[in-house]
Amino acid sequence: MLSSSRLSWKWTACLCFLTLLCCLFTPALTVKENDFKKCTQSGFCKRNRAYADNAATQGSSWEPPYKILPEQASFKDGQLQAPILKTTDAQGTTVRLPVTVSFLKSGTARVTVDEEQRKEKNIELRHNSIARKERYNEAEKWAIVGGLDVDTNAKVSSESKSGINIKYGPGFIFEADIKYSPFSIEFKRDGVAQIKLNDRGLLNVEHWRPKVDKPAPEKKEGEDGEESEEEPEAAEATPSEDQSTWWEETFGGNTDSKPRGPESVALDITFFGYEHVYGIPEHTGPLSLKETRGGDGNYKEPYRLYNSDVFEYILDSPMTLYGAIPFMQAQRKDSTVGVFWLNGAETWVDITKAKEHKNPLALGIGSKTNTHTHWISESGVMDVFVFLGPTPRDVTKNYAELTGTTAMPQEFAIGYHQCRWNYVSDDDVKEVDRKMDRYHIPYDVIWLDIEYLDDKKYFTWEPNMFSDPISMGEQLDSHGRKLVVIIDPHIKNTKYPVSEELKSKGLAVKNKEGNIFEGWCWPGSSHWVDCFNPEAIKWWTTLFDYDKFKGTLKNTFIWNDMNEPSVFNGPEVTMPKDNLHHDNWEHRDVHNINGMTFHNATFEALLSRKKGELRRPFVLTRSFYAGSQRLGAMWTGDNQATWEYLAAATPMILAQGISGFPFAGADVGGFFGNPEPELQSRWFQAGAFYPFFRGHAHIDARRREPYLVPEPHRSIITAALRLRYSLLPAWYTAFYHANQDGSPILRPLYWTHPSEEAGFDIDDEFFVGSTGLLVKPVVEQEKTTADIYIPDDEVYYDYFTYEKLPTSKGKHLTVQAPLETIPVLMRGGHIIPRRDVPRRSAQLMQYDDYTLVIAVSKNGNAEGELYVDDGDTFEYENGQYIHRSFKLAGSSLTSTDAEGRDVKSIKEGDWLKRMSDVAVDKIIIVGAPSSLAGKSEVQLEVEGEKTPVRVDYHKAEGGKAAYAVLGRVGAKIGADWKIDFA
Ligand code: NOJ
């Protein structure tokens, strides 16, 4: 029998769940901000902000209590090691915090601070907790895949009682100036200070201390004869310290037992002379991050990183969202640096900017802006990586060396995805599929949201509506299409094999007592698979085998949602922080990494669905962390069908790109609500330039498949989709670059033009990979023009009309953008590969011929690349790919292997064999050289043999550039060839 308190708890949970459901069906206007903590409601954030305020108030008399004793520091083999001593009281008591500063071969520096007593597990936990005693130090295990080799050549350039100076990096141009008392590190490049750790003395490691329980309050008789209680003095604390949240914290009715007490780590990081900082997604504000300590136009709250299922999130806010990447880049003219704060716990980042006046008599003149940041995490070791650039590309590359790069995608995954919550039956799916064809609308993937499940039990099918998933999958497959089905991490707490195995094998997340954790999500009462546990990953991978997950086929792929994890009745809609994961790490320590571990398990599962079948997984995730880029794509969660959310998507996707996870998109059309046709058209036009391009809608939203939208919108949407499909070769090549060196797929202007300060805060236009395509989606209602900032002196052409545009560097160009037009420019100097035959899906285009579009630079040159492989397997790792470099120099156009390989010596597998018939069929030369005027043919030269190619030359007129079309070129895509225009 249930005890009455348990019974009433159940009722409360039930009511909560029902209330939540009601909320889902009657959308409120905005997120319930009060459901999520502000800094003042998060004990450690509040304490560290107060610490910062106290330091600021004291000004130059502030004495940071962290120091190294020179005799205890040693530098050897590229690493400095020492205990940092933290003075904890007026008597000079200290705690030891071992610090390691490592200089890595890549030129990156790493600073790690731990706590000795906890390393030695020499602490006591409260409440008989079985949690780990150490500070969490396994974030590295999940996030880092390489780049940790220490550079033993790093050398001491000077040393004294006050500190040590280390030279390191390429050509020893980097320098770390480590000061002992107070402890700080200034990083320099070419002798110029770039970044300083603990510049403002805000380093704070809340060391472990026992809770000294207050003696029972003494009872005293008051004047009125009533008994009153007197508060005794608190245990070990300086008077200014606020202890109220040290030992327990309650928020929204949930109490966190905090068995280790206060344990935050915090550090201030100054970027000297840098006015712009970017990164630390996921947030909704501008790409160039705002200040967070109030003031005009600034935020009042720090940026928060605490992966959360935020219902109807708000715009322009530092509030946390579903994913977290604690990586920040700073930009000033001709210089980029960055930091990566490797910590999986709840984290807040304050940003302020201050003018530094070199000459106090000349205010503003010669002054530069420093950006001050303050990083605050609830627990774990402190682990900071410092990148000194000097270019955005260098910083991106160094970060990618550590956390890995975007996985080469399944080629279909960069086509268009058609989703809604929900397609109601297998017949419905088939009908949508047929209609897309009937209306000649290309798409690659159709998605099933949670209603396909039997009673929300993952790995099952609703038996009445999805009685024949196989025939559904087969119909899709017959024209190269795929199915994505949703699988979330919460497993229904009921009798069914998946749930029973999860329990019997002990693979679920546990509560603070070490019993299986139970909470609420879509299925009602649920348990959560603990993918930190290697055994859980192993088990999870077995569930996806084709013969286990019946109804799935080779063309079934997976969507992981709710993996923050979302727990409807949990604190801040997630798990209690004192829950326990594998090896008894507290959820508090790993919260932000949790989503990635689930994504990882599903990725692994798709890799091993069938013995001998090794294909690239496709898994979409909502929650993510640094490193998630290795596993698939993300989207920006539950946006709304309004113009504001359309506009907000671009900076969000750009932020993902420069934070190492560029395979990103936003729900096209908006998740909540019903977009009017104009909004839907504009959203498809923008979405055609999202790396991940998916239309999605809430269960209450009206059906809005592209063919349902009235004309002229249907045609406008179809044209946007066709544009995407024709450019797939360019997109795939951009993914290849992301895969090679982490470069963003959508590139903001600071990244492409780091010398042009006027572009540093522009986040509504971008370049696509290295194609030179400059895109500015229209995101305002009834807007028919676009003002595009031009970052250089190169020539720019309109992508569609070949008009040569009257651009000039640093100026905005106004282009016409009526509803049917997407503002897309071609920067001179680039060659863009395309496939121009419209087809139903990417797979059906696989062996189509190519078109090359050459946008000739003002100097008459152009360059471009094409990377292509089978788009499905890992055969590219065995050389089964084509990688061409196209060059127009003077009057000759050449195609050569981009890596200088002798392509003839490559043993051709099936795919390469089939590709040997694929050719460059058409070449369009925009800004065509005058040598082509009057010519009717040119010669294609392959291995000394020449064949004529027809030329159709159009002279410049009416604003259009001269252009030429070479038809039926027949130059094999994988072979070397040359065409002379002279
Ligand atoms: C929340 C996701 O963000 C949304 O895209 C999905 O449709 C619902 N969960 C239902 O699965």
Side-chain angles (χ1 to χ4, degrees), residues 37 68 137 184 203 340 397 722 727 837 861 868:
K37 287 183 184 174
I68 287 175
N137 58 4
S184 71
L203 168 64
F340 172 39
K397 190 164 158 274
R722 288 208 183 296
L727 284 169
V837 181
N861 304 326
V868 55

Side-chain angles (χ1 to χ4, degrees), residues 689 719 722-728 730-731 771-775 788 796-805 815 821-827 832-836 851-855 924 926:
F689 289 93
R722 288 208 183 296
L723 176 66
R724 169 64 167 228
Y725 275 81
S726 69
L727 284 169
L728 284 182
W731 281 99
T771 60
L773 288 175
L774 178 57
V775 183
I788 309 179
Y796 282 81
Y797 308 96
D798 183 289
Y799 177 78
F800 302 98
T801 63
Y802 308 155
E803 192 185 338
K804 188 172 172 186
L805 298 161
V815 297
T821 304
I822 315 175
V824 183
L825 311 187
M826 291 188 285
R827 181 176 183 272
I832 304 155
R834 271 193 341 208
R835 275 178 161 147
D836 284 351
T851 295
L852 297 182
V853 183
I854 304 178
I924 302 169
V926 182

Side-chain angles (χ1 to χ4, degrees), residues 378-424:
E378 182 173 16
S379 65
V381 296
M382 186 182 292
D383 204 357
V384 198
F385 293 80
V386 176
F387 312 99
L388 292 181
T391 67
R393 189 177 279 281
D394 293 326
V395 174
T396 298
K397 190 164 158 274
N398 288 335
Y399 173 74
E401 271 163 11
L402 295 171
T403 63
T405 62
T406 300
M408 271 317 283
Q410 277 280 347
E411 193 170 18
F412 75 78
I414 63 172
Y416 173 64
H417 301 253
Q418 182 59 49
C419 186
R420 75 168 276 112
W421 179 13
N422 221 94
Y423 290 114
V424 295

